[in-house]
Amino acid sequence: MVPLADTLRQLLEGADGPARQGIASGALAIAAVEYPRLDPPAYLAKLDAIGDQALERVAQAAGADGPVHARVEAVNHCLYGELGFRGNRDRYADVRNSCLNQVLDRRVGIPITLSVIYIETARRAGLRAEGINFPGHFLVRVWDDAAGTAESGLVVDPFDGGTVLTEQDCRALLARQEDSDVAFQPALMARASRRQMFARMLANLKRLYVQNRSFAHARVVTDALLSLAPSSLQELRDRGLLSYHLHDYAPALRDLEAYLKLVALTDKSDETRDESTQVWDHVKSLRRRLASLN
């Protein structure tokens, strides 16, 4: 099995550390799955430069203690007006949109990578920002610390030029998501932990790698997802199936057998029973293959 890079493993082990550690370093470690030679300090320096520019714009437009709306507008003007960041609507499924280094270089991305840039930029410009793990479309909340109330945060869509969204806008956004049968509720607007953000970035990459039949990359990412959620039966199953596709039969058999044992103990649903039947067919095939090699 292809091991995780040391930096990525360290990231995952520290995913629940203090929020002040930020998320850019972790996002760059994830991007290194696709770009193993990327230089994280260089990209962190790019973020620092963007943050300095945004801080200057905030000072000019509103000041450090100005209204949060005005400070958000200043950050938006910097990121989208001056620097030209935008959501990549034309080639949404391009793997580069999921890699922070490429988003910083090309200035186009998907909601979560643009949200990472927005959060890091806003923090450097003196604003308190956090991710919102909204279904299908990651968002950002920028808090008004001066107001000191739970209603003082602005919900921002970094994919759409930093547009400030009302609750009704969020409801409409949810309704537009494909295959969405989730009813809007306040819990959907809760803060996203760093662990949740990393998992979402990895899940995006995994989906693209599987679609592109880049199974070796998909297995590295699945291994990372298992480091974040060791009890995930889905990721255990998927890692076994990816190893099977890569003709790495011993690890495939180990994961798929472990999956079947755990499913038998924890999940009795009809859907899982059907999946288990398919996995059992793979296990029997793997046992025959490995026996023939002995």
Side-chain angles (χ1 to χ4, degrees):
M1 179 166 296
V2 180
L4 286 172
D6 289 343
T7 53
L8 184 53
R9 187 171 296 284
Q10 291 167 8
L11 147 76
L12 300 177
E13 291 173 350
D16 296 321
R20 65 177 178 272
Q21 291 178 359
I23 51 178
S25 294
L28 289 168
I30 291 170
V33 175
E34 178 71 14
Y35 297 96
R37 297 183 180 179
L38 75 81
D39 180 9
Y43 286 100
L44 292 174
K46 279 192 175 188
L47 277 171
D48 287 339
I50 293 171
D52 288 343
Q53 186 171 333
L55 178 61
E56 184 177 342
R57 298 298 175 266
V58 167
Q60 293 170 345
D65 298 322
V68 68
H69 279 86
R71 289 184 285 154
V72 165
E73 287 178 4
V75 171
N76 289 349
H77 177 68
C78 175
L79 285 175
Y80 305 106
E82 297 178 350
L83 298 176
F85 282 94
R86 61 182 176 83
N88 194 344
R89 301 180 187 276
D90 296 329
R91 300 192 64 186
Y92 193 93
D94 190 325
V95 170
R96 293 174 294 179
N97 294 330
S98 295
C99 299
L100 186 62
N101 60 316
Q102 286 291 302
V103 179
L104 284 166
D105 285 343
R106 301 170 65 241
R107 301 189 180 180
V108 294
I110 57 175
I112 192 163
T113 46
L114 288 169
S115 291
V116 171
I117 292 171
Y118 199 99
I119 290 169
E120 294 286 359
T121 300
R123 287 174 176 172
R124 286 165 169 79
L127 292 135
R128 183 162 63 97
E130 64 187 21
I132 301 174
N133 205 22
F134 197 73
H137 193 104
F138 204 86
L139 299 170
V140 167
R141 180 182 288 106
V142 180
W143 289 103
D144 184 358
D145 289 328
T149 65
E151 294 75 27
S152 62
L154 297 182
V155 177
V156 175
D157 184 356
F159 186 76
D160 190 33
T163 300
V164 175
L165 304 181
T166 64
E167 180 179 312
Q168 189 58 39
D169 293 330
C170 293
R171 289 176 180 272
L173 179 61
L174 181 63
R176 291 197 298 271
Q177 302 305 315
E178 293 184 11
D179 303 323
S180 176
D181 57 358
V182 178
F184 183 87
Q185 52 186 310
L188 298 179
M189 306 302 296
R191 179 185 71 85
S193 68
R194 201 160 54 247
R195 178 177 293 269
Q196 289 172 322
M197 293 186 69
F198 294 156
R200 190 151 173 170
M201 285 185 271
L202 289 164
N204 285 338
L205 272 178
K206 176 187 171 184
R207 183 179 65 254
L208 294 173
Y209 285 143
V210 170
Q211 289 174 355
N212 297 334
R213 300 186 68 81
S214 299
F215 296 135
H217 285 85
R219 185 170 63 172
V220 171
V221 171
T222 304
D223 196 30
L225 283 164
L226 271 168
S227 293
L228 283 173
S231 61
S232 172
L233 293 179
Q234 175 184 329
E235 300 304 341
L236 180 63
R237 178 202 63 200
D238 288 355
R239 188 173 66 180
L241 293 174
L242 289 164
S243 294
Y244 182 87
H245 282 298
L246 291 166
H247 308 294
D248 199 357
Y249 296 132
L253 181 60
R254 181 173 60 247
D255 281 344
L256 295 180
E257 285 182 330
Y259 167 79
L260 290 174
K261 290 178 182 178
L262 290 169
V263 163
L265 294 171
T266 60
D267 195 333
K268 306 295 184 181
S269 66
D270 291 340
E271 181 180 354
T272 302
R273 190 178 298 112
D274 291 340
E275 290 179 358
S276 297
T277 300
Q278 297 174 9
V279 171
W280 175 238
D281 289 339
H282 286 305
V283 166
K284 289 186 289 187
S285 174
L286 285 164
R287 287 174 177 174
R288 289 193 297 268
R289 286 177 181 271
L290 289 172
S292 68
L293 298 175
N294 293 332

